[in-house]
Amino acid sequence: MVMSDKAKQHVDSCRFCWMCHHICPIGNATGHERSTARARALGISLVNRNTIPLKEIMDNIYECATCGGCVHVCVTGWDPVMFTKETRLHAALEGKLPSYIQTLLDNCLETGNAYGKTALCDGLTAAIKKHEKKTDTLLFLGVDARYMVCEQAKKAIEVLESAGVDFTTLADEPASGAQLDFLIGAANETKEQMTAAAKVLDTFKTVVVYDPNDAKALKQLYKEYGVELSCEVVTYTTYVAKLLKDGKLQPKNTGKTVVFQDPYQLSRDLGETEEPREIIENYAVLGEMLLNRDETIWAGNILMAQYLPEVIDEVARRRLFNAESIGATTMVTASVSEYWALRHVKQDKIEVLSIEDLILG
Ligand code: SF4
Ligand code: SF4
């Protein structure tokens, strides 16, 4: 398999200490040994040794959420996300993607989103149109909010409106490239999509990024891909925390006691843990999940639910159970995709709120 020397070395460098075993949200949800990081590496190693064909491990390669939980705890500094993404790229170049991934990829290339959607819901179209005038500040909503959870996109807009921010939203917002990075890694198509987005974003002074997945792409992955951005990129939570500090939002305490579900893209990748907490503490009493901040356990997303719906439902259910086990009754999330996954679980023990829900009441 075509793979960097570094990735090959990581595939073969595990010490079998199993410290990463219990923190994999997918492995915990499926209960299968094969879903864990180490088992994935063994599969890749067998392909590299021509013992099994690539197609035999491809479903397993797309089971990984690339959440980085295993990377965070690995004692050898081993990086399963790196070699998983390199394997995806290799499969794409060889034309060996599973058909369900090929469909998502084709959608991304044709429509800019993996869901193949071309129209926004009516209410969101109107909300975006209200802010079509060019300003210095762009609110970048992202494909999950725009096409799959448009109520939350509208609320994200409403929060900035209530703070009196003069900002722009784009009817034809470009894709950040985050979905392509997940599906096929560092392919030319991914870099081209990022470069096209950068051209649009750089016509603004500040870009406020609603979805942590896009924030990770713009603030971290673009640098890795060599895509330059000269605008200031700010996460939505950092921006809203500053609005509160500056007295632009008048918080009302909801009387709720809540826990915060750290999105791994904010906490592990971007090192942002306190800004969402500063927001929440203005509206509620904040408790903590046992695994919080950079130890967070991912709670699912919309993209993987397209091809692993039952597994993603179980991932979210288990995270809700973590909250229930410490006596929490309300969970607040800053990720629109985790919000969707958590709200899709049929249960009545934990109330799931977004940061915007908390602010808007
Ligand atoms: S990146 Fe996340 S989903 Fe993938 S193997 Fe590691 S812990 Fe599991
Ligand atoms: S933590 Fe690292 S060394 Fe230990 S089992 Fe997991 S991958 Fe192997």
Side-chain angles (χ1 to χ4, degrees), residues 14-20 38 73-76 78:
C14 178
R15 293 177 186 174
F16 296 100
C17 72
W18 294 119
M19 287 296 286
C20 61
R38 182 56 210 155
V73 297
C74 180
V75 289
T76 58
W78 194 69

Side-chain angles (χ1 to χ4, degrees), residues 52-207:
I52 57 171
L54 178 63
K55 72 169 195 260
E56 224 170 275
I57 64 166
M58 285 316 297
D59 287 341
N60 181 257
I61 292 299
Y62 280 97
E63 278 185 352
C64 177
T66 70
C67 74
C70 50
V71 183
H72 183 67
V73 297
C74 180
V75 289
T76 58
W78 194 69
D79 187 345
V81 172
M82 172 186 57
F83 63 66
T84 299
K85 283 168 72 174
E86 286 200 22
T87 306
R88 291 176 184 183
L89 173 61
H90 174 78
L93 295 174
E94 294 285 308
K96 291 191 174 147
L97 294 175
S99 59
Y100 53 87
I101 296 297
Q102 187 66 52
T103 302
L104 296 172
L105 172 61
D106 292 344
N107 286 341
C108 268
L109 296 175
E110 278 163 33
T111 64
N113 67 88
Y115 319 112
K117 304 262 186 189
T118 51
L120 305 174
C121 66
D122 286 348
L124 181 57
T125 303
I128 286 175
K129 194 163 174 47
K130 264 172 72 185
H131 296 279
E132 65 184 356
K133 194 173 128 266
K134 182 82 167 67
T135 65
D136 283 347
T137 304
L138 172 69
L139 173 60
F140 188 90
L141 292 166
V143 293
D144 280 352
R146 281 164 63 89
Y147 295 109
M148 304 301 274
V149 204
C150 91
E151 285 306 314
Q152 289 305 307
K154 284 193 275 180
K155 285 178 190 170
I157 290 171
E158 216 181 304
V159 167
L160 297 201
E161 285 174 345
S162 67
V165 178
D166 190 20
F167 66 100
T168 302
T169 44
L170 297 173
D172 54 351
E173 183 183 278
S176 70
Q179 287 192 327
L180 280 182
D181 176 74
F182 176 83
L183 293 170
I184 53 172
N188 288 341
E189 290 85 347
T190 312
K191 187 167 180 180
E192 281 164 15
Q193 199 171 72
M194 290 176 171
T195 306
K199 267 193 197 141
V200 176
L201 303 190
D202 272 346
T203 63
F204 294 87
K205 200 168 148 207
T206 304
V207 176

Side-chain angles (χ1 to χ4, degrees), residues 10-71:
H10 280 222
V11 164
D12 292 323
S13 64
C14 178
R15 293 177 186 174
F16 296 100
C17 72
W18 294 119
M19 287 296 286
C20 61
H21 198 251
H22 61 293
I23 48 77
C24 178
I26 300 288
N28 287 339
T30 65
H32 295 153
E33 196 68 42
R34 71 163 213 163
S35 306
T36 62
R38 182 56 210 155
R40 186 164 298 108
L42 285 172
I44 295 170
S45 180
L46 289 173
V47 174
N48 280 339
R49 287 169 170 72
N50 297 317
T51 308
I52 57 171
L54 178 63
K55 72 169 195 260
E56 224 170 275
I57 64 166
M58 285 316 297
D59 287 341
N60 181 257
I61 292 299
Y62 280 97
E63 278 185 352
C64 177
T66 70
C67 74
C70 50
V71 183

